[in-house]
């Protein structure tokens, strides 16, 4: 915690009218002046790092009751929430996120698949948190062990077990052993000596209630508190993963399959780089692509600069033989050839993909199907979308260097804004064929390039605000989709900064105004937005 607090910083904006980060007068530094304050800050910041602020506040409230503190002095939920918000972001650049990811092990893929197949009430690809009472009970036992009042604890459950294990190992320095649902050991701190103090066993609990048998705690489902937290967006468990292995970590075998097709992946990404170059440099011939909403004018977001961004963002791709050369070759083609390369490469990936959506690629109902983590095309789209986010991100901001969230990485593989399925009268076959063609083409342009179709389709797009400059970095680093209310005012995108979960994303113009299009950038760092 001392290292995490010591690494906090701030940056100024608008002539020091605004500042982002944790300054010398920050509430964080005031709390860190005492041992009790550091302990409070530690548990609050760790809870906020792995959960939504609302759920973290409920955990603190339950922890107060489990610890049998005087009811007369118990803070309100709003006060706990204010404490969580003030503490959020402190450990975002520490090793805590990596430790939590390690503790997840292959439980990550099981839970992602469980969510994708609709067995939960959460968004696709979301790791599920446990309920506040169960988390508080397990944390209370960990604190007893750290004080020498208890000797060990056994915790059963789903993804939430990773948070308990991370707190025990990273924060409390306890001896932890983690087993997956098959009984295989994922981590064992006792190999270097000592006895197990925290034993984690993954396996879905049979009840939502806390079950205590001796020192065994079962972390139940978050849906046990649906009456207290009605918005299901408050349920996810948030975990970060290193950039160096993020694609294999989140997409598993499907990324391995994709990496064995460097010619198709290279043709797609190289073609996209060439298309972006035509738009950024104002080329007259851009086919049926629309210039509306295109803001990727920085040198890192088009042409060979975009290729450099892809390689620097994903070190896993650098070691694929012939991949970079293939991208560079296609990026040097004409615009028309690059478009054909993109279309043929996506068609080839769809042909080789075994997911339900790609196997029915000629059926118009595919666009209403649920996305799958097992889609090769979706992984390719995710690489393009994430690299585009990083190309528009200011890298020299002090305090940046955040790791991506698993929730955010996965979300980029899910198709974003898409046209609604068209309806027409079966009596007009010609109109039906034209509408179908435009519908398929506009969907392809959006998913493959993130661009609109320049010809009218008479089909409303599903608004998800992903075309806003701040929405994508917020999703990547905060692990949440941007709230429509926070992104717009009376239907117009107006936000210049978004702060949630201790991570602030803001437009670079707040630091320095410039008339140059290539400076349309944004930044992200652990922070909340304050006025001086």
């Amino acid at each position: 915690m001392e290292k995490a607090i010591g690494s906090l910083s701030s940056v100024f904006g608008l002539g020091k009218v605004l500042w982002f980060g944790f300054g010398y007068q920050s509430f964080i530094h005031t709390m860190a002046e005492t041992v009790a304050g550091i302990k409070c800050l530690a548990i609050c910041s760790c809870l906020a790092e792995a959960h939504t602020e609302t759920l973290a506040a409920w955990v603190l409230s339950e922890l107060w009751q489990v610890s049998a503190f005087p009811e007369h002095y118990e803070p309100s939920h709003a006060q706990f929430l204010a404490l969580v918000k003030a503490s959020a972001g402190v450990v975002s650049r520490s090793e805590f996120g990596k430790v939590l990811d390690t503790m997840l092990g292959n439980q990550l893929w099981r839970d992602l698949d469980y969510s994708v197949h609709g067995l939960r009430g959460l968004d696709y690809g979301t790791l599920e948190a446990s309920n506040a009472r169960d988390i508080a009970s397990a944390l209370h036992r960990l604190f007893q062990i750290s004080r020498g009042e208890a000797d060990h604890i056994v915790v059963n459950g789903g993804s939430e077990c990773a948070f308990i294990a991370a707190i025990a190992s990273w924060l409390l320095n306890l001896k932890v052993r983690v087993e997956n649902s098959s009984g295989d050991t994922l981590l064992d701190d006792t190999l270097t000596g000592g006895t197990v103090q925290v034993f984690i066993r993954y396996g879905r609990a049979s009840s939502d209630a806390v079950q205590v048998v001796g020192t065994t705690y079962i972390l139940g489902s978050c849906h046990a508190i649906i009456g207290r937290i009605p918005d299901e967006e408050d349920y996810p468990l948030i975990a970060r993963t290193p950039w160096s292995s993020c694609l294999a970590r989140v997409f598993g075998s499907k990324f391995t399959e994709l990496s064995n097709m460097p010619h198709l992946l290279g043709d797609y990404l190289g073609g996209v780089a060439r298309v972006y170059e035509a738009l950024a440099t104002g080329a007259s011939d851009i086919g049926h692509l629309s210039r509306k909403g295109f803001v990727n004018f920085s040198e890192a977001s088009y042409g060979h600069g975009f290729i450099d961004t892809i390689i620097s963002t994903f070190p896993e791709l650098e070691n694929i033989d012939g991949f970079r050369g293939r991208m560079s070759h296609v990026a040097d083609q004409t615009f028309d050839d690059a478009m054909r390369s993109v279309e043929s490469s996506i068609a080839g990936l769809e042909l080789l993909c075994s997911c339900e959506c790609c196997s029915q690629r000629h059926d118009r109902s595919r666009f209403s199907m649920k996305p799958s983590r097992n889609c090769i095309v979706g992984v390719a789209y995710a690489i393009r979308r994430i690299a585009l986010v990083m190309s528009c991100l200011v890298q020299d901001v002090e305090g940046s260097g955040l790791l991506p969230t698993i929730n955010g990485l996965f979300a980029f593989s899910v198709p974003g804004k898409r046209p609604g399925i068209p309806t027409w009268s079966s009596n007009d076959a010609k109109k039906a064929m034209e509408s179908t063609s435009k519908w398929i083409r506009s969907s392809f342009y959006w998913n493959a390039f993130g661009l609109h179709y320049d010809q009218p389709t008479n089909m409303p797009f599903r608004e998800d605000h992903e075309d806003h400059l701040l929405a994508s970095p917020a999703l990547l680093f905060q692990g949440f989709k941007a709230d429509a209310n926070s992104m717009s005012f009376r239907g117009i995108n107006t936000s210049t900064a978004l702060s949630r979960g201790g991570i602030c994303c803001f437009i670079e113009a707040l630091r320095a105004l410039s008339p140059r299009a290539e400076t349309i950038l944004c930044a992200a760092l652990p922070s909340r937005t304050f006025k001086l």
Side-chain angles (χ1 to χ4, degrees), residues 170-237:
W170 183 81
L171 185 60
L172 302 179
N173 198 28
L174 302 178
K175 296 291 184 180
V176 180
R177 181 177 180 180
V178 182
E179 288 185 359
N180 61 21
S181 56
S182 301
D184 302 324
T185 301
L186 302 178
L187 180 139
D188 192 349
D189 290 338
T190 61
L191 296 178
T192 57
T195 59
V196 176
Q197 295 172 294
V198 181
F199 186 19
I200 303 293
R201 292 188 300 200
Y202 284 112
R204 205 151 299 283
S206 59
S207 172
D208 290 337
V210 178
Q211 300 179 22
V212 183
V213 182
T215 55
T216 300
Y217 289 73
I218 297 180
L219 299 182
S221 169
C222 60
H223 295 279
I225 51 173
I226 191 169
R228 301 179 66 177
I229 305 180
D231 188 352
E232 288 186 347
E233 192 181 61
D234 291 322
Y235 297 160
L237 177 73

Side-chain angles (χ1 to χ4, degrees), residues 322-374:
F323 173 65
R324 178 162 190 156
R326 189 77 180 192
M327 284 196 298
S328 299
H329 172 71
V330 177
D332 290 331
Q333 294 179 345
T334 64
F335 177 86
D336 291 337
D337 288 341
M339 285 292 294
R340 283 191 287 269
S341 294
V342 171
E343 293 181 4
S344 62
S345 61
I346 294 300
L349 290 174
E350 288 182 340
L351 188 63
L352 295 171
C353 184
S354 58
C355 79
E356 182 182 9
C357 187
C358 289
S359 63
Q360 300 185 33
R361 55 190 175 279
H362 300 301
D363 186 348
R364 70 188 184 94
S365 65
R366 61 174 294 202
F367 294 99
S368 62
M369 292 178 181
K370 292 180 179 180
S372 171
R373 187 179 66 87
N374 295 321

Side-chain angles (χ1 to χ4, degrees), residues 23-346:
Y24 68 92
Q25 291 181 330
S26 171
F27 170 75
I28 299 301
H29 293 292
T30 302
M31 288 188 67
E33 293 177 355
T34 64
V35 175
I38 292 178
K39 291 179 179 179
C40 179
L41 183 61
I43 189 59
C44 291
S45 59
C46 287
L47 279 169
E49 176 68 12
H51 306 87
T52 62
E53 293 169 346
T54 303
L55 183 56
W58 280 122
V59 172
L60 291 178
S61 179
E62 295 289 352
L63 190 58
W64 183 285
Q65 298 178 26
V66 171
S67 301
F69 292 143
E71 183 178 351
H72 180 71
Y73 298 104
E74 182 178 357
S76 66
H77 174 73
Q79 290 173 312
F80 278 126
L81 185 60
L83 178 60
V84 169
K85 288 184 176 182
S87 306
V90 173
V91 299
S92 294
R93 291 193 298 119
S94 70
E95 294 294 313
F96 179 75
K98 293 182 180 179
V99 173
L100 197 156
D101 182 38
T102 300
M103 298 302 181
L104 268 173
N106 57 13
Q107 181 72 14
L108 167 68
W109 297 324
R110 173 182 174 180
D111 280 19
L112 284 180
D113 285 338
Y114 192 70
S115 174
V116 164
H117 288 105
L119 300 179
R120 295 179 179 166
L122 305 178
D123 287 340
Y124 303 125
T126 303
L127 300 174
E128 182 182 15
S130 185
N131 66 66
R133 184 73 177 186
D134 288 4
I135 299 172
S137 298
L139 288 176
H140 177 64
R141 187 67 176 186
L142 290 182
F143 299 157
Q144 288 180 324
I145 296 174
S146 67
R147 296 194 300 265
E149 299 173 4
D151 53 2
H152 73 283
I153 180 179
V154 179
V155 182
N156 294 339
S159 300
E160 188 66 50
C161 289
F163 172 73
I164 300 300
I167 289 289
S169 178
W170 183 81
L171 185 60
L172 302 179
N173 198 28
L174 302 178
K175 296 291 184 180
V176 180
R177 181 177 180 180
V178 182
E179 288 185 359
N180 61 21
S181 56
S182 301
D184 302 324
T185 301
L186 302 178
L187 180 139
D188 192 349
D189 290 338
T190 61
L191 296 178
T192 57
T195 59
V196 176
Q197 295 172 294
V198 181
F199 186 19
I200 303 293
R201 292 188 300 200
Y202 284 112
R204 205 151 299 283
S206 59
S207 172
D208 290 337
V210 178
Q211 300 179 22
V212 183
V213 182
T215 55
T216 300
Y217 289 73
I218 297 180
L219 299 182
S221 169
C222 60
H223 295 279
I225 51 173
I226 191 169
R228 301 179 66 177
I229 305 180
D231 188 352
E232 288 186 347
E233 192 181 61
D234 291 322
Y235 297 160
L237 177 73
I238 304 164
R240 300 186 186 275
T241 193
W243 283 109
S244 60
S245 57
C246 64
L247 295 177
R249 177 66 175 137
V250 176
F251 301 108
S253 61
K254 289 305 170 181
F255 169 69
T256 303
E257 292 182 33
L258 185 62
S259 62
N260 291 330
M261 310 171 194
H263 57 294
L264 293 177
L265 183 59
D267 283 356
Y268 167 58
L269 295 175
V272 168
R274 177 65 181 89
V275 170
Y276 286 165
E277 182 179 15
L279 287 162
T281 56
S284 58
D285 182 14
I286 58 171
H288 292 302
L289 291 173
S290 173
R291 301 180 193 272
K292 179 183 178 182
F294 183 81
V295 295
N296 306 313
F297 295 101
S298 68
E299 293 183 358
S301 61
Y302 64 85
H304 289 276
F306 186 57
I307 293 175
D308 292 338
T309 300
I310 292 172
I311 296 299
S312 61
T313 301
F314 304 108
E316 298 160 281
L317 300 177
E318 187 174 9
N319 299 324
I320 300 177
D321 293 337
F323 173 65
R324 178 162 190 156
R326 189 77 180 192
M327 284 196 298
S328 299
H329 172 71
V330 177
D332 290 331
Q333 294 179 345
T334 64
F335 177 86
D336 291 337
D337 288 341
M339 285 292 294
R340 283 191 287 269
S341 294
V342 171
E343 293 181 4
S344 62
S345 61
I346 294 300

